[in-house]
Amino acid sequence: MKFSNSYAHLDEVFYQRIRPTPVRDPRLLLWNARLAEQLMAPDELVQDLSALAQVFSGNHILPGSEPIAIVYAGHQFGTFVPRLGDGRAHLLGEVLDQSGRRWDIQLKGSGRTSFSRGGDGRCPLGPAVREFIMSEAMKFLGVPTTRCLAVVTTGETVFRETALPGGVVTRVASSHLRIGTFQYFAAQGDQQALETLCRYSMARHYPELQEEGDTPYIQFMKKVMERQIHLVVEWMRVGFIHGVMNTDNTTITGETIDYGPCAMMGIYDPKTVYSSIDTMGRYAFGNQPEILQWNMARFAECLLPLINADTHKAVEAVRPVIEEAFPALFEKEYMNMMGKKLGFTSFREEDRKLIDTFLKQLKDGRLDYTVTFDLLTRSLTSEPAASRMKDELGDCFDLWQKRLRMQTDVSQKVQKLMREHNPVVIPRNHHVEEVIQACLETGNATSAERFLQVLRSPYKELAQTSEYQDPPGDGDKDYRTFCGT
Ligand code: AMP
Ligand code: MG
C-alpha cells in the first residue's frame, strides 16, 4: 500500500492536519480481502491480524500516511450548514491500486477533529458493520459506491441513547469530494480556493475537461450531473433508498457515500421512507430524482462566480443545464433502465405508458419490487412463475408479453438482459439487521461473512441464497433506520 497523497498537499484551508485518537483494544472484525489485494496491501501486514487492527483503528500510522480531516459544508434536509467537515473521520491518505487508480483511505469513528462540534468523534459498531455490508452489496449489484476495507472493534463504549460497542470502519472512495466541499468555499466567497478545488477535481476525476476551452466549469457540472444521474437511476433499479441525500453526501464522482439511514424498498411504493429523522419524506424512494436535481442546482450556484463575473450571465448559462438537460437525461436513463428490467432490447416511445402502468400495478397490488422482477424474469422459462405473475399482474402481464413478442430478438437475449438488471437477492432490511445483531452478540463475523458471500453474487443463486430472499413478514411496516452517529 503505497501512499501518494495529493489532497494533503493542497493549501491548508482545505483540511486540518490531525491524527486519529487511539482506541483501547482494537480487534479486526471484518476484512475485505479482495479489496486489500486490489490496493496492494503488503502480505506481512495482511497476515498479521493484530497489526491490521492497529492500523485500521488509527492506533498505528503507516509510513507515508498523512492524516487529515477535510472541511466541507452542506445542506442538511434543505438547511444550509456553513461548516460541517470530518467530525469523526480521518483521511489517512491516497493509495494507487494495481491499475494505477487513486483511492482515498479514510477511517470513520477515529476520534474528534476541529469539525466535531458537540460530537464524540466515534462510531458505534452496528453502523460500521452496516456500512460494510451495504456497500459491498451495492458494489456487486453493479451500483457505483464507496467501499469498506475493514471494520475494527475498539474495546471502548460509545454512548448514544444507550451504551454501545465502538467501531472504526475504513472507507475506500475514489475521493471524498462532495458538493458540500464546494459549498464551503463558495459560502465564504473564497474564489481562489474554489478555483483550486475545481482544478484539482477536474484533474483527478475528469482529466478530459482540462482541454475544454472557455466553458470548463459548465462541462464539469455536466459531468458530475451525468454521473449522479447514472447513480440515482441505479439506486432506483435495485430499490435503494439513500435516506440522507444532503449535499455533503453527494459526491462529484457519482459514488454512493454515507450508508447511515439507507434501506432497501420491499413493497413498491415511491413514498417509501425508513429513516427515523426524515419525518417529511424528503428523501423518499420516489423523491430521489428531484432531490438530486435540487442538489445539482446547489452545485451550480457554487460555480457561478467562476463561470462569469456577471451573475446574471452565469445564471443564464447554467439554467438550461439544470432545468432542461437534467430532467431530459434523467427521464431517458430511467426509462431505458426500466425497459431493460422488463426485457426491452431497445426503448420505444410507447413503452413509457407500459412502464407507468406496470409500476402502478406493483404499487396498487402492494407487490415486492425485487420478487416481482425476479419472477418476471423467471416467467420467460417457468410455467409456475408465469402463472403467478399472471395472477398478480393481470392485464399488465398480457401487455408485457405482447410487447416482448414484438421484438424480433431471440428470447435468450431477453432473458440475459432481464437477468442482468434484476437481482435474485438484495440486502433486505430484516436480514441486514439480523446479521448486525449476530455480530454484536457473538463478537465474530461468521453470519456477516455468510451473508456477504450471497450478496457478492446477487444475479446468481448459490446454495444458501434462498435463506436471504424472503421479504419481511410484516412488509417492513415498522422498520426504522437511524443516522448511526
Ligand atoms: P453524517 O451524518 O455522517 O453525514 O455526518 C454529518 C456531520 O456530522 C459530519 O460533519 C460528521 O463529521 C458529523 N458527525 C456525525 N457524527 C459525529 C460524531 N459522533 N462526532 C463528531 N462529528 C460527527
Ligand atoms: Mg456525511
Side-chain angles (χ1 to χ4, degrees), residues 72 76 84-89 108 112 115-123 160 178 244 248-249 258 483-485:
Y72 54 86
Q76 299 189 309
L84 288 163
D86 291 335
R88 52 163 174 167
K108 184 161 154 187
R112 288 177 51 81
F115 310 112
S116 300
R117 295 169 288 162
D120 60 1
R122 293 302 185 191
C123 174
R160 294 295 179 261
R178 36 186 118 215
V244 61
D248 54 304
N249 292 336
D258 239 328
C483 261
T485 56

